[in-house]
Amino acid sequence: MLYVKAPAKINLTLDVLHKRPDGFHEVEMIMTTVDLADRIGLESREDGIIKIISADRYVPDDQRNLAYQAAKLLKDTYNVQAGVSIVLEKRIPVAAGLAGGSSDAAATLKGLNRLWNLQLTADQLAEQGAKIGSDVSFCVYGGTALATGRGEKIQELPSPPNCWIILAKPSIGVSTADVYGGLKVNEIIHPNTTEMIRAIKEKDYELMCATMGNALESVTLKLYPEVSTIKEQMMKFGADAVLMSGSGPTVFGLVQHESRVNRIYNGLRGFCDEVYAVRLIGERDTLA
């Protein structure tokens, strides 16, 4: 069995520029990986079947699963006769705005590239990943990046200033389609992507905190008041900056001083079942 790590991501900024003729939204966002990860186990099969195995009842085990789609895409594109058993050991919450499914798909692409000896480059895998979902290309590379287009155009950035990340996910699911559907592009407060890039390049933690922004947040907060409550509590307990990741519902806080991490973590456990204290990864992993 070949194992591949599939880390979660957070959005330090997420801006929506306009709706495109293809129905997608043109976005501009800065994403970075954090040390909360699923583990993907891959084992080749002689019968040609793609089989998803997961103990998590919220994870689909058919073609709806992005890891399944990743395996099928490589199998069909490169005429692979073998099948694969894909074991998903989930740690990233499902439907949380942390790209868990996309990261699983990216890890599957990277792992099968080795298992099936396809000898594809990271750029080729990211190009295939874009056919599966908007975040998959970023997840193939990992690290920190500016993502544009519908999220598939990736420009590498250096690692942000090091800090702790507190993640808190309320026990609700959020429909990304509903959030984008409720978005009024002419009313968006746009985050300053350029300033965030400067903060990252100059390792300026205070500027990074001051520049975080998510254009989808106002829509999700209206639809799901629980997200507002978690944001308020996280700030009250002492996080340096707090933002919703992706289309939600997970909220994350940046914390520079380790002494504050336990207080925030323990305080949030009263409001939220799923709370994690993790570090930023921030740098690209070598291609699996």
Side-chain angles (χ1 to χ4, degrees):
M1 181 93 56
L2 172 70
Y3 288 99
V4 190
K5 197 173 172 182
K9 64 83 188 162
I10 54 172
N11 295 82
L12 295 173
T13 64
L14 194 164
D15 197 6
V16 181
L17 306 179
H18 56 82
K19 193 162 186 181
R20 298 158 28 140
D22 62 7
F24 288 101
H25 285 80
E26 188 78 14
V27 296
E28 185 177 75
M29 51 193 178
I30 294 173
M31 298 190 279
T32 190
T33 42
V34 300
D35 195 17
L36 174 68
D38 295 341
R39 191 166 84 137
I40 313 300
L42 301 166
E43 191 167 31
S44 201
R45 301 171 62 106
E46 291 181 7
D47 58 11
I49 291 169
I50 299 167
K51 185 173 177 62
I52 301 286
I53 303 160
S54 174
D56 190 318
R57 63 194 174 96
Y58 295 111
V59 174
D61 62 359
D62 54 20
Q63 61 271 18
R64 292 169 298 162
N65 190 293
L66 296 187
Y68 181 102
Q69 292 175 30
K72 187 163 186 345
L73 180 64
L74 289 186
K75 189 170 157 55
D76 292 350
T77 305
Y78 298 100
N79 197 26
V80 176
Q81 298 305 305
V84 63
S85 292
I86 305 172
V87 181
L88 301 178
E89 296 176 19
K90 294 294 292 177
R91 283 197 70 227
I92 304 169
V94 176
L98 298 171
S102 296
S103 194
D104 292 350
T108 300
L109 291 173
K110 293 195 285 186
L112 289 179
N113 188 38
R114 283 173 60 189
L115 195 68
W116 289 343
N117 195 28
L118 299 175
Q119 299 182 357
L120 303 172
T121 64
D123 291 343
Q124 287 173 309
L125 290 175
E127 194 178 316
Q128 293 298 330
K131 298 170 187 173
I132 302 165
S134 298
D135 287 338
V136 180
S137 298
F138 167 76
C139 292
V140 165
Y141 297 115
T144 306
L146 170 67
T148 54
R150 59 180 176 83
E152 84 288 3
K153 295 175 185 169
I154 307 298
Q155 181 186 323
E156 186 179 6
L157 291 170
S159 177
N162 207 2
C163 63
W164 285 87
I165 307 291
I166 306 284
L167 299 162
K169 180 194 175 285
S171 54
I172 54 171
V174 166
S175 161
T176 301
D178 286 352
V179 173
Y180 273 101
L183 193 66
K184 296 183 171 68
V185 177
N186 56 335
E187 294 175 11
I188 287 173
I189 298 168
H190 297 281
N192 192 332
T193 309
T194 307
E195 276 293 271
M196 180 58 80
I197 292 170
R198 184 165 77 85
I200 289 169
K201 287 183 173 175
E202 295 177 5
K203 297 279 191 276
D204 186 331
Y205 179 75
E206 287 183 6
L207 182 59
M208 178 170 78
C209 288
T211 315
M212 289 193 333
N214 183 342
L216 300 179
E217 206 177 55
S218 59
V219 181
T220 305
L221 296 187
K222 271 184 206 153
L223 293 172
Y224 306 95
E226 302 96 322
V227 180
S228 279
T229 303
I230 292 171
K231 278 199 75 178
E232 289 159 16
Q233 294 301 327
M234 207 180 273
M235 287 303 291
K236 193 173 93 178
F237 292 133
D240 298 322
V242 177
L243 193 69
M244 183 183 82
S245 187
S247 56
T250 302
V251 173
F252 70 91
L254 306 189
V255 187
Q256 194 167 33
H257 298 295
E258 190 172 352
S259 57
R260 270 197 242 153
V261 170
N262 278 344
R263 188 177 78 201
I264 299 168
Y265 176 87
N266 290 330
L268 286 166
R269 292 285 296 174
F271 294 87
C272 215
D273 288 337
E274 295 187 87
V275 184
Y276 307 85
V278 297
R279 299 301 301 242
L280 275 177
I281 299 175
E283 293 176 346
R284 280 192 178 182
D285 196 5
T286 52
L287 184 62

